[in-house]
Amino acid sequence: MKEVSTLIKEQFLNIGIIFRISKYEDKAEYQSHYLGLIWEYLYPLIQIGIYWLVFGIGLKHGNSTHGIDYLVWMVIGITPWFFMNRATLDASKSIYQRVGMVSKMKFPVSVLPTIKIVSNLSAFWTMLVFSIVIGFLYGVTPSIYWIQWIYYFICMIAWLIAFGIFNSTISVLVRDYRILLQSLMRMLFYMSGVLFNFQTDAFPAPFVHILQLNPFFYVVSGFRDGMLGTAWFWQKPTLTLVFWGMILFFLLVGSHLHYKFRSRFVDLI
């Protein structure tokens, strides 16, 4: 637990550095493109259009999901997924890419995954506003349930930091891990309820219970519960305990490995 507390302390003590570097990286990544930062928002919108045409119009023939238009249901779920997917993959290679630079100066390497997470937040806020607008157009009105978005946002950031410090460290220790993680995230895209509602009679109950243990599913379904007003987070005590238990697990393992091998990162790379 001492390593976890040290990790969390480093994040808060360097929060100014985190936001400054993340802002710089946003500008630097797209500076050579004609549309610049517009691509950060345009690409997810294009992806949403493709998924809606294929799954909403093509496979579902425009049918609703639990009385909610499929486009609304999909957009509110895919918004946190796009953010978590990109933040997870970016965080996993954050130390590998920057350790050579920070090794020459006094710099808390543990904040590198967090910088990648923060740098993706601007696109998330834009997508969230877009999903709200789509909801308004299809008759979804604000309710008291929306306030729990605050809770699920905290859950999402906590999970990404815990998973990020673990992935970024393992990626240095095991070079092939990043390729495995990319494949895992592609699989989780279909197993997190982003495009399909597997909480139906079409799927066996034991299979559904296993899929619900996925932390990404917890966040995706939580944002849907908030917008559509279907449930409060405390009505899912088992899933909540499992979710925070997984965060604690990855924090413990990730922080232990990080501080154990941090002095050797340059040699390992």
Side-chain angles (χ1 to χ4, degrees), residues 124-207:
F124 169 74
W125 296 125
T126 302
M127 288 293 298
L128 185 61
V129 171
F130 175 76
S131 65
I132 293 174
V133 172
I134 292 295
F136 284 159
L137 294 177
Y138 283 87
V140 178
T141 56
S143 68
I144 189 64
Y145 285 92
W146 285 25
I147 197 174
Q148 64 182 333
W149 274 349
I150 299 173
Y151 165 74
Y152 282 110
F153 178 77
I154 294 173
C155 289
M156 182 171 64
I157 297 300
W159 165 246
L160 289 175
I161 291 175
F163 201 39
I165 196 66
F166 174 84
N167 290 330
S168 60
T169 303
I170 297 297
S171 295
V172 174
L173 301 178
V174 183
R175 195 63 57 87
D176 295 338
Y177 179 75
R178 285 186 293 121
I179 300 175
L180 176 63
L181 181 63
Q182 290 175 353
S183 301
L184 176 64
M185 294 303 293
R186 292 192 191 101
M187 181 179 65
L188 287 174
F189 176 63
Y190 297 100
M191 298 177 61
S192 300
V194 179
L195 298 178
F196 306 107
N197 179 25
F198 52 73
Q199 296 174 281
T200 63
D201 295 335
F203 294 90
F207 179 70

Coordinates of all heavy atoms in Angstrom, one line a residue, residues 124-207:
F124 N -13.1 13.5 -25.4 CA -14.2 12.9 -24.6 C -15.3 13.9 -24.3 O -16.5 13.6 -24.5 CB -13.6 12.3 -23.3 CG -14.7 11.9 -22.4 CD1 -15.4 10.7 -22.6 CD2 -15.0 12.7 -21.3 CE1 -16.4 10.3 -21.7 CE2 -16.0 12.3 -20.4 CZ -16.7 11.1 -20.6
W125 N -14.9 15.1 -23.9 CA -15.9 16.1 -23.6 C -16.7 16.5 -24.8 O -17.9 16.6 -24.7 CB -15.3 17.4 -23.0 CG -14.6 17.2 -21.7 CD1 -13.3 17.5 -21.4 CD2 -15.1 16.6 -20.5 NE1 -13.0 17.1 -20.1 CE2 -14.1 16.6 -19.5 CE3 -16.4 16.1 -20.2 CZ2 -14.3 16.1 -18.2 CZ3 -16.6 15.6 -18.9 CH2 -15.6 15.6 -17.9
T126 N -16.1 16.6 -26.0 CA -16.8 16.9 -27.2 C -17.7 15.8 -27.6 O -18.9 16.1 -28.0 CB -15.8 17.1 -28.3 OG1 -14.8 18.1 -28.0 CG2 -16.5 17.5 -29.6
M127 N -17.3 14.6 -27.4 CA -18.2 13.4 -27.7 C -19.4 13.4 -26.8 O -20.5 13.0 -27.2 CB -17.4 12.1 -27.7 CG -16.4 12.0 -28.9 SD -17.3 11.8 -30.4 CE -18.2 10.3 -30.1
L128 N -19.1 13.7 -25.5 CA -20.2 13.7 -24.5 C -21.3 14.7 -24.9 O -22.5 14.4 -24.8 CB -19.6 13.9 -23.1 CG -20.7 13.8 -22.0 CD1 -21.2 12.3 -21.9 CD2 -20.0 14.1 -20.6
V129 N -20.8 15.9 -25.2 CA -21.8 16.9 -25.6 C -22.5 16.5 -26.9 O -23.8 16.7 -27.0 CB -21.0 18.3 -25.9 CG1 -22.0 19.3 -26.6 CG2 -20.4 18.8 -24.6
F130 N -21.8 15.9 -27.8 CA -22.5 15.4 -29.0 C -23.5 14.3 -28.7 O -24.7 14.3 -29.3 CB -21.4 14.7 -30.0 CG -22.0 14.1 -31.2 CD1 -22.4 14.8 -32.2 CD2 -22.0 12.7 -31.3 CE1 -23.0 14.2 -33.4 CE2 -22.5 12.1 -32.4 CZ -23.0 12.8 -33.5
S131 N -23.2 13.4 -27.8 CA -24.2 12.4 -27.4 C -25.4 13.0 -26.7 O -26.5 12.5 -26.9 CB -23.5 11.3 -26.5 OG -23.1 11.9 -25.2
I132 N -25.2 14.0 -25.9 CA -26.3 14.7 -25.3 C -27.3 15.4 -26.3 O -28.5 15.3 -26.2 CB -25.8 15.8 -24.3 CG1 -25.1 15.1 -23.1 CG2 -27.0 16.6 -23.7 CD1 -24.5 16.0 -22.1
V133 N -26.6 16.0 -27.3 CA -27.4 16.6 -28.4 C -28.2 15.6 -29.1 O -29.4 15.8 -29.4 CB -26.5 17.4 -29.3 CG1 -27.2 17.9 -30.6 CG2 -25.8 18.6 -28.6
I134 N -27.6 14.5 -29.5 CA -28.3 13.4 -30.1 C -29.5 12.9 -29.3 O -30.6 12.6 -29.8 CB -27.4 12.2 -30.4 CG1 -26.3 12.6 -31.5 CG2 -28.1 11.0 -30.9 CD1 -26.9 12.9 -32.8
G135 N -29.2 12.8 -28.0 CA -30.3 12.4 -27.1 C -31.5 13.4 -27.1 O -32.6 12.9 -27.1
F136 N -31.2 14.6 -27.0 CA -32.2 15.7 -27.1 C -33.1 15.5 -28.4 O -34.3 15.6 -28.4 CB -31.6 17.1 -27.1 CG -31.2 17.5 -25.7 CD1 -30.2 18.5 -25.5 CD2 -31.7 16.9 -24.5 CE1 -29.8 18.9 -24.3 CE2 -31.3 17.2 -23.3 CZ -30.3 18.2 -23.1
L137 N -32.4 15.3 -29.5 CA -33.1 15.2 -30.8 C -34.0 14.0 -30.8 O -35.0 14.0 -31.6 CB -32.0 15.0 -31.9 CG -31.2 16.3 -32.2 CD1 -30.1 16.0 -33.3 CD2 -32.0 17.5 -32.6
Y138 N -33.7 12.9 -30.0 CA -34.5 11.7 -30.0 C -35.4 11.7 -28.7 O -35.9 10.6 -28.4 CB -33.7 10.5 -30.1 CG -33.2 10.2 -31.5 CD1 -32.0 10.8 -32.0 CD2 -33.9 9.4 -32.4 CE1 -31.6 10.6 -33.3 CE2 -33.5 9.2 -33.7 CZ -32.3 9.8 -34.1 OH -31.9 9.5 -35.4
G139 N -35.6 12.8 -28.1 CA -36.5 12.8 -27.0 C -36.0 12.5 -25.6 O -36.8 12.3 -24.7
V140 N -34.7 12.4 -25.4 CA -34.1 12.1 -24.1 C -34.0 13.4 -23.4 O -33.3 14.3 -23.8 CB -32.8 11.4 -24.2 CG1 -32.2 11.2 -22.8 CG2 -32.9 10.0 -24.9
T141 N -34.6 13.5 -22.2 CA -34.5 14.8 -21.4 C -33.7 14.6 -20.2 O -33.6 13.5 -19.6 CB -36.0 15.2 -21.0 OG1 -36.6 14.2 -20.3 CG2 -36.8 15.6 -22.3
P142 N -33.1 15.7 -19.7 CA -32.3 15.6 -18.5 C -33.1 15.1 -17.3 O -34.3 15.4 -17.1 CB -31.8 17.1 -18.2 CG -32.0 17.7 -19.6 CD -33.1 17.1 -20.2
S143 N -32.4 14.4 -16.4 CA -33.1 13.9 -15.2 C -32.0 13.8 -14.1 O -30.8 14.1 -14.3 CB -33.6 12.4 -15.4 OG -32.5 11.5 -15.6
I144 N -32.5 13.5 -12.8 CA -31.6 13.5 -11.7 C -30.6 12.4 -11.8 O -29.5 12.5 -11.2 CB -32.5 13.3 -10.4 CG1 -31.6 13.4 -9.1 CG2 -33.1 11.9 -10.4 CD1 -31.1 14.8 -8.9
Y145 N -30.9 11.4 -12.7 CA -29.9 10.3 -12.9 C -28.6 10.8 -13.5 O -27.6 10.2 -13.4 CB -30.5 9.3 -13.8 CG -31.5 8.4 -13.2 CD1 -32.9 8.7 -13.2 CD2 -31.2 7.2 -12.5 CE1 -33.8 7.9 -12.6 CE2 -32.1 6.4 -11.9 CZ -33.4 6.7 -11.9 OH -34.4 5.9 -11.3
W146 N -28.6 11.9 -14.2 CA -27.5 12.5 -14.9 C -26.3 12.8 -13.9 O -25.2 12.8 -14.3 CB -27.8 13.7 -15.7 CG -28.6 13.3 -17.0 CD1 -29.3 12.2 -17.2 CD2 -28.6 14.1 -18.2 NE1 -29.8 12.3 -18.5 CE2 -29.4 13.4 -19.1 CE3 -28.0 15.3 -18.6 CZ2 -29.7 13.9 -20.4 CZ3 -28.3 15.8 -19.9 CH2 -29.1 15.1 -20.8
I147 N -26.7 13.1 -12.7 CA -25.7 13.5 -11.7 C -24.7 12.4 -11.4 O -23.6 12.6 -11.0 CB -26.4 13.9 -10.4 CG1 -25.4 14.7 -9.5 CG2 -26.9 12.7 -9.6 CD1 -26.0 15.3 -8.3
Q148 N -25.1 11.1 -11.7 CA -24.2 10.0 -11.4 C -23.1 9.9 -12.5 O -22.2 9.1 -12.3 CB -24.9 8.7 -11.2 CG -25.7 8.2 -12.4 CD -26.4 6.9 -12.1 OE1 -26.0 6.1 -11.2 NE2 -27.5 6.6 -12.8
W149 N -23.2 10.7 -13.5 CA -22.1 10.8 -14.4 C -20.8 11.2 -13.7 O -19.7 10.8 -14.1 CB -22.4 11.8 -15.6 CG -23.2 11.2 -16.7 CD1 -23.4 9.9 -16.9 CD2 -23.8 11.9 -17.8 NE1 -24.2 9.7 -18.0 CE2 -24.4 10.9 -18.6 CE3 -23.9 13.2 -18.1 CZ2 -25.1 11.3 -19.7 CZ3 -24.6 13.6 -19.3 CH2 -25.2 12.6 -20.1
I150 N -20.9 12.0 -12.7 CA -19.7 12.4 -11.9 C -19.0 11.2 -11.3 O -17.8 11.0 -11.4 CB -20.1 13.4 -10.8 CG1 -20.7 14.7 -11.4 CG2 -18.9 13.8 -9.9 CD1 -21.3 15.6 -10.4
Y151 N -19.9 10.3 -10.7 CA -19.3 9.1 -10.2 C -18.7 8.2 -11.2 O -17.5 7.7 -11.0 CB -20.4 8.3 -9.5 CG -20.1 6.9 -9.1 CD1 -19.2 6.6 -8.1 CD2 -20.5 5.8 -9.9 CE1 -18.8 5.3 -7.8 CE2 -20.2 4.5 -9.6 CZ -19.3 4.2 -8.6 OH -19.0 3.0 -8.3
Y152 N -19.3 8.0 -12.3 CA -18.8 7.1 -13.4 C -17.6 7.8 -14.1 O -16.7 7.0 -14.5 CB -19.8 6.8 -14.4 CG -20.8 5.7 -13.9 CD1 -22.1 6.0 -13.6 CD2 -20.4 4.4 -13.7 CE1 -23.0 5.1 -13.1 CE2 -21.2 3.4 -13.2 CZ -22.5 3.8 -12.9 OH -23.4 2.8 -12.4
F153 N -17.5 9.1 -14.1 CA -16.3 9.7 -14.6 C -15.1 9.4 -13.7 O -14.0 9.1 -14.2 CB -16.5 11.2 -14.8 CG -15.3 12.0 -15.3 CD1 -14.9 11.9 -16.6 CD2 -14.5 12.7 -14.4 CE1 -13.8 12.6 -17.1 CE2 -13.4 13.3 -14.9 CZ -13.0 13.3 -16.2
I154 N -15.3 9.5 -12.4 CA -14.3 9.2 -11.4 C -13.9 7.8 -11.6 O -12.7 7.4 -11.5 CB -14.8 9.5 -10.0 CG1 -15.0 11.0 -9.8 CG2 -13.7 9.0 -9.0 CD1 -15.6 11.4 -8.5
C155 N -14.8 6.9 -11.7 CA -14.5 5.5 -11.9 C -13.7 5.3 -13.1 O -12.7 4.5 -13.1 CB -15.8 4.7 -12.1 SG -16.8 4.5 -10.6
M156 N -14.0 5.9 -14.2 CA -13.3 5.8 -15.5 C -11.8 6.2 -15.4 O -10.9 5.5 -15.8 CB -14.0 6.6 -16.6 CG -13.4 6.5 -17.9 SD -14.5 7.2 -19.2 CE -14.5 9.0 -18.7
I157 N -11.6 7.4 -14.7 CA -10.3 7.9 -14.6 C -9.4 7.0 -13.6 O -8.3 6.7 -13.9 CB -10.3 9.4 -14.1 CG1 -11.0 10.3 -15.1 CG2 -8.9 9.9 -13.8 CD1 -10.3 10.3 -16.4
A158 N -10.1 6.6 -12.6 CA -9.4 5.7 -11.6 C -9.0 4.4 -12.3 O -7.8 3.9 -12.1 CB -10.3 5.4 -10.4
W159 N -9.9 3.8 -13.1 CA -9.5 2.6 -13.7 C -8.4 2.8 -14.8 O -7.5 2.0 -14.9 CB -10.8 2.0 -14.4 CG -10.5 1.0 -15.4 CD1 -10.7 1.0 -16.8 CD2 -9.9 -0.3 -15.2 NE1 -10.3 -0.1 -17.4 CE2 -9.8 -1.0 -16.4 CE3 -9.5 -1.0 -14.0 CZ2 -9.3 -2.3 -16.5 CZ3 -9.0 -2.3 -14.1 CH2 -8.9 -2.9 -15.4
L160 N -8.5 3.9 -15.5 CA -7.5 4.1 -16.5 C -6.1 4.4 -15.9 O -5.1 3.9 -16.5 CB -7.9 5.3 -17.4 CG -9.0 5.1 -18.3 CD1 -9.4 6.4 -19.0 CD2 -8.7 4.0 -19.3
I161 N -6.0 5.0 -14.8 CA -4.7 5.3 -14.1 C -4.2 3.9 -13.6 O -3.0 3.6 -13.8 CB -4.9 6.3 -13.0 CG1 -5.2 7.7 -13.5 CG2 -3.6 6.3 -12.1 CD1 -5.5 8.7 -12.5
A162 N -5.0 3.1 -12.9 CA -4.6 1.9 -12.4 C -4.1 0.9 -13.5 O -3.0 0.3 -13.4 CB -5.7 1.2 -11.6
F163 N -5.0 0.8 -14.5 CA -4.6 -0.1 -15.7 C -3.5 0.5 -16.5 O -2.6 -0.3 -17.0 CB -5.9 -0.2 -16.6 CG -5.9 -1.4 -17.5 CD1 -5.4 -2.6 -17.0 CD2 -6.4 -1.3 -18.8 CE1 -5.4 -3.7 -17.8 CE2 -6.4 -2.4 -19.6 CZ -5.9 -3.6 -19.1
G164 N -3.4 1.8 -16.5 CA -2.3 2.5 -17.3 C -0.9 2.2 -16.7 O 0.1 2.0 -17.4
I165 N -0.8 2.4 -15.4 CA 0.5 2.2 -14.7 C 0.9 0.7 -14.8 O 2.1 0.4 -15.0 CB 0.5 2.6 -13.2 CG1 1.9 2.8 -12.7 CG2 -0.3 1.7 -12.4 CD1 2.6 4.0 -13.3
F166 N 0.0 -0.2 -14.8 CA 0.3 -1.6 -15.0 C 0.8 -1.9 -16.4 O 1.8 -2.5 -16.6 CB -0.9 -2.5 -14.6 CG -0.8 -3.9 -14.9 CD1 -0.2 -4.8 -14.0 CD2 -1.2 -4.5 -16.1 CE1 0.0 -6.1 -14.3 CE2 -1.1 -5.8 -16.4 CZ -0.4 -6.6 -15.5
N167 N 0.0 -1.4 -17.4 CA 0.3 -1.7 -18.8 C 1.6 -1.0 -19.2 O 2.4 -1.6 -20.0 CB -0.8 -1.2 -19.7 CG -2.1 -2.0 -19.6 OD1 -2.0 -3.2 -19.3 ND2 -3.3 -1.4 -19.8
S168 N 1.8 0.2 -18.8 CA 3.0 0.9 -19.2 C 4.3 0.2 -18.7 O 5.3 0.2 -19.3 CB 3.0 2.4 -18.7 OG 2.9 2.4 -17.3
T169 N 4.2 -0.3 -17.5 CA 5.3 -1.0 -16.9 C 5.6 -2.4 -17.6 O 6.7 -2.7 -17.9 CB 5.1 -1.2 -15.4 OG1 4.9 0.0 -14.7 CG2 6.3 -1.9 -14.7
I170 N 4.5 -3.1 -17.7 CA 4.6 -4.4 -18.4 C 5.1 -4.3 -19.8 O 5.9 -5.1 -20.3 CB 3.3 -5.2 -18.4 CG1 2.8 -5.5 -17.0 CG2 3.4 -6.5 -19.2 CD1 3.8 -6.4 -16.2
S171 N 4.7 -3.2 -20.5 CA 5.2 -3.0 -21.9 C 6.7 -2.7 -22.0 O 7.3 -3.1 -23.0 CB 4.5 -1.7 -22.5 OG 3.1 -2.0 -22.6
V172 N 7.3 -2.2 -20.9 CA 8.7 -2.1 -20.9 C 9.4 -3.4 -20.6 O 10.4 -3.8 -21.2 CB 9.1 -1.0 -19.8 CG1 10.7 -1.0 -19.7 CG2 8.6 0.3 -20.2
L173 N 8.8 -4.2 -19.7 CA 9.4 -5.5 -19.3 C 9.2 -6.5 -20.4 O 10.1 -7.4 -20.6 CB 8.8 -5.9 -18.0 CG 8.9 -5.0 -16.8 CD1 8.2 -5.6 -15.6 CD2 10.4 -4.8 -16.5
V174 N 8.1 -6.5 -21.0 CA 7.7 -7.5 -22.1 C 7.4 -6.8 -23.3 O 6.3 -6.2 -23.5 CB 6.6 -8.5 -21.6 CG1 6.3 -9.5 -22.7 CG2 6.9 -9.1 -20.3
R175 N 8.3 -6.8 -24.3 CA 8.1 -6.0 -25.5 C 6.9 -6.4 -26.3 O 6.2 -5.5 -26.9 CB 9.4 -6.1 -26.4 CG 9.5 -5.1 -27.5 CD 9.6 -3.7 -26.9 NE 10.8 -3.6 -26.0 CZ 12.0 -3.4 -26.4 NH1 12.3 -3.2 -27.7 NH2 13.0 -3.3 -25.6
D176 N 6.5 -7.6 -26.3 CA 5.3 -8.1 -27.1 C 4.0 -7.8 -26.4 O 2.9 -8.0 -27.0 CB 5.4 -9.6 -27.3 CG 6.6 -10.0 -28.2 OD1 7.1 -9.1 -28.9 OD2 7.0 -11.2 -28.1
Y177 N 4.0 -7.2 -25.2 CA 2.8 -7.0 -24.5 C 1.9 -6.0 -25.2 O 0.6 -6.2 -25.1 CB 3.1 -6.6 -23.0 CG 1.8 -6.3 -22.2 CD1 1.1 -7.4 -21.7 CD2 1.4 -5.0 -21.9 CE1 -0.1 -7.2 -21.0 CE2 0.3 -4.8 -21.2 CZ -0.5 -5.9 -20.7 OH -1.6 -5.6 -20.0
R178 N 2.4 -5.0 -25.8 CA 1.6 -4.0 -26.4 C 0.8 -4.5 -27.5 O -0.4 -4.1 -27.8 CB 2.5 -2.8 -26.9 CG 3.0 -1.9 -25.7 CD 3.7 -0.7 -26.2 NE 5.0 -1.0 -26.8 CZ 5.3 -0.8 -28.1 NH1 4.4 -0.1 -28.9 NH2 6.4 -1.1 -28.6
I179 N 1.4 -5.5 -28.3 CA 0.6 -6.1 -29.4 C -0.5 -6.9 -28.8 O -1.6 -6.9 -29.3 CB 1.6 -7.0 -30.2 CG1 2.7 -6.1 -30.8 CG2 0.8 -7.7 -31.3 CD1 3.7 -6.9 -31.5
L180 N -0.3 -7.7 -27.7 CA -1.3 -8.4 -27.1 C -2.4 -7.5 -26.5 O -3.6 -7.9 -26.7 CB -0.7 -9.2 -25.9 CG -1.7 -10.0 -25.0 CD1 -2.4 -11.1 -25.9 CD2 -0.9 -10.7 -23.8
L181 N -2.0 -6.4 -26.0 CA -3.0 -5.5 -25.4 C -3.9 -4.9 -26.5 O -5.1 -4.8 -26.3 CB -2.3 -4.3 -24.7 CG -3.2 -3.3 -24.0 CD1 -4.1 -3.9 -23.0 CD2 -2.4 -2.1 -23.5
Q182 N -3.4 -4.6 -27.7 CA -4.1 -4.1 -28.8 C -5.2 -5.1 -29.2 O -6.3 -4.8 -29.5 CB -3.2 -3.8 -30.0 CG -2.4 -2.6 -29.8 CD -1.4 -2.3 -30.9 OE1 -1.3 -3.2 -31.8 NE2 -0.6 -1.2 -30.9
S183 N -4.8 -6.4 -29.3 CA -5.7 -7.5 -29.6 C -6.8 -7.6 -28.5 O -8.0 -7.8 -28.9 CB -5.0 -8.8 -29.8 OG -4.0 -8.7 -30.8
L184 N -6.4 -7.5 -27.3 CA -7.4 -7.6 -26.2 C -8.4 -6.5 -26.2 O -9.6 -6.7 -26.0 CB -6.6 -7.6 -24.8 CG -7.5 -7.6 -23.6 CD1 -8.2 -8.9 -23.5 CD2 -6.6 -7.3 -22.3
M185 N -8.0 -5.3 -26.5 CA -8.9 -4.1 -26.6 C -9.9 -4.3 -27.8 O -11.0 -3.9 -27.7 CB -8.1 -2.8 -26.7 CG -7.3 -2.5 -25.5 SD -8.2 -2.4 -24.0 CE -9.3 -0.9 -24.3
R186 N -9.4 -4.8 -28.9 CA -10.3 -5.1 -30.0 C -11.4 -6.1 -29.6 O -12.6 -5.9 -29.9 CB -9.6 -5.6 -31.2 CG -8.6 -4.6 -31.8 CD -8.1 -5.2 -33.2 NE -7.0 -4.3 -33.7 CZ -5.8 -4.6 -33.6 NH1 -5.4 -5.8 -33.1 NH2 -4.8 -3.8 -34.1
M187 N -11.0 -7.1 -28.8 CA -12.0 -8.1 -28.3 C -12.9 -7.5 -27.3 O -14.1 -7.7 -27.4 CB -11.2 -9.3 -27.7 CG -12.1 -10.4 -27.2 SD -11.2 -11.8 -26.6 CE -10.4 -11.0 -25.1
L188 N -12.4 -6.7 -26.4 CA -13.2 -6.1 -25.4 C -14.2 -5.1 -26.0 O -15.3 -4.8 -25.4 CB -12.3 -5.3 -24.4 CG -11.6 -6.2 -23.4 CD1 -10.6 -5.4 -22.5 CD2 -12.5 -7.0 -22.5
F189 N -13.9 -4.5 -27.1 CA -14.9 -3.6 -27.8 C -16.2 -4.3 -28.0 O -17.3 -3.7 -27.9 CB -14.3 -3.2 -29.1 CG -15.2 -2.3 -30.0 CD1 -15.6 -1.1 -29.5 CD2 -15.6 -2.7 -31.2 CE1 -16.5 -0.3 -30.2 CE2 -16.5 -2.0 -32.0 CZ -16.9 -0.7 -31.5
Y190 N -16.2 -5.6 -28.4 CA -17.4 -6.3 -28.6 C -17.9 -7.0 -27.3 O -19.1 -7.5 -27.3 CB -17.2 -7.4 -29.7 CG -16.8 -6.8 -31.0 CD1 -15.5 -6.7 -31.5 CD2 -17.8 -6.2 -31.9 CE1 -15.1 -6.2 -32.7 CE2 -17.5 -5.7 -33.1 CZ -16.1 -5.6 -33.5 OH -15.8 -5.0 -34.7
M191 N -17.1 -7.1 -26.3 CA -17.5 -7.7 -25.1 C -17.9 -6.7 -23.9 O -18.1 -7.2 -22.8 CB -16.4 -8.7 -24.6 CG -16.1 -9.8 -25.6 SD -14.7 -10.8 -25.0 CE -15.4 -11.5 -23.5
S192 N -17.9 -5.5 -24.3 CA -18.2 -4.4 -23.3 C -19.6 -3.8 -23.5 O -19.9 -2.8 -22.8 CB -17.1 -3.4 -23.3 OG -15.9 -3.9 -23.0
G193 N -20.4 -4.4 -24.3 CA -21.8 -3.9 -24.5 C -21.8 -2.5 -25.2 O -22.8 -1.8 -25.1
V194 N -20.8 -2.2 -26.0 CA -20.7 -1.0 -26.8 C -21.7 -1.0 -27.9 O -22.5 0.0 -28.1 CB -19.3 -0.7 -27.3 CG1 -19.3 0.6 -28.0 CG2 -18.3 -0.6 -26.1
L195 N -21.7 -2.1 -28.7 CA -22.6 -2.2 -29.9 C -23.7 -3.1 -29.7 O -24.8 -3.0 -30.4 CB -21.7 -2.6 -31.1 CG -20.6 -1.7 -31.5 CD1 -19.8 -2.4 -32.7 CD2 -21.1 -0.3 -31.9
F196 N -23.6 -4.1 -28.8 CA -24.6 -5.1 -28.6 C -25.1 -5.1 -27.2 O -24.3 -5.0 -26.2 CB -24.1 -6.5 -29.0 CG -23.5 -6.6 -30.3 CD1 -22.1 -6.7 -30.5 CD2 -24.2 -6.6 -31.4 CE1 -21.5 -6.8 -31.7 CE2 -23.7 -6.7 -32.7 CZ -22.3 -6.8 -32.8
N197 N -26.4 -5.3 -27.0 CA -26.9 -5.4 -25.7 C -27.0 -6.9 -25.4 O -28.0 -7.6 -25.8 CB -28.3 -4.7 -25.6 CG -29.0 -4.9 -24.3 OD1 -28.3 -5.0 -23.3 ND2 -30.3 -4.8 -24.2
F198 N -26.0 -7.4 -24.7 CA -26.0 -8.9 -24.4 C -26.8 -9.2 -23.2 O -26.9 -10.4 -22.8 CB -24.6 -9.4 -24.3 CG -23.7 -8.7 -23.4 CD1 -23.9 -8.8 -22.0 CD2 -22.7 -7.9 -23.8 CE1 -23.0 -8.1 -21.1 CE2 -21.8 -7.2 -23.0 CZ -22.0 -7.3 -21.6
Q199 N -27.4 -8.2 -22.5 CA -28.3 -8.5 -21.4 C -29.7 -8.8 -21.8 O -30.7 -8.2 -21.4 CB -28.3 -7.3 -20.4 CG -27.0 -7.0 -19.8 CD -27.0 -5.7 -19.0 OE1 -26.9 -4.6 -19.6 NE2 -27.1 -5.8 -17.7
T200 N -29.8 -9.7 -22.7 CA -31.1 -10.2 -23.3 C -31.2 -11.7 -23.1 O -30.3 -12.4 -22.7 CB -31.2 -9.8 -24.8 OG1 -30.2 -10.5 -25.5 CG2 -31.0 -8.3 -25.0
D201 N -32.4 -12.2 -23.5 CA -32.6 -13.6 -23.4 C -31.8 -14.4 -24.5 O -31.7 -15.6 -24.4 CB -34.1 -13.9 -23.6 CG -35.0 -13.4 -22.5 OD1 -34.4 -13.2 -21.4 OD2 -36.1 -13.1 -22.7
A202 N -31.2 -13.7 -25.4 CA -30.5 -14.4 -26.5 C -29.2 -14.9 -26.0 O -28.6 -15.8 -26.6 CB -30.2 -13.4 -27.7
F203 N -28.7 -14.4 -24.8 CA -27.4 -14.9 -24.3 C -27.7 -15.6 -23.0 O -28.5 -15.2 -22.2 CB -26.5 -13.7 -24.0 CG -26.1 -13.0 -25.3 CD1 -26.8 -11.9 -25.8 CD2 -24.9 -13.3 -25.9 CE1 -26.4 -11.2 -26.9 CE2 -24.5 -12.7 -27.1 CZ -25.3 -11.6 -27.6
P204 N -26.9 -16.7 -22.8 CA -27.1 -17.5 -21.5 C -26.7 -16.6 -20.3 O -25.8 -15.8 -20.4 CB -26.1 -18.6 -21.7 CG -25.8 -18.7 -23.1 CD -26.0 -17.4 -23.7
A205 N -27.5 -16.8 -19.2 CA -27.3 -16.0 -18.0 C -25.9 -16.1 -17.5 O -25.3 -15.0 -17.1 CB -28.3 -16.3 -17.0
P206 N -25.3 -17.3 -17.4 CA -23.9 -17.3 -16.9 C -22.9 -16.5 -17.7 O -22.0 -15.9 -17.2 CB -23.6 -18.8 -16.9 CG -24.9 -19.5 -16.8 CD -25.8 -18.6 -17.6
F207 N -23.1 -16.6 -19.0 CA -22.2 -15.8 -19.9 C -22.4 -14.3 -19.7 O -21.4 -13.6 -19.7 CB -22.6 -16.2 -21.4 CG -21.8 -15.5 -22.4 CD1 -20.5 -15.8 -22.6 CD2 -22.4 -14.5 -23.2 CE1 -19.7 -15.1 -23.6 CE2 -21.7 -13.8 -24.2 CZ -20.3 -14.1 -24.4

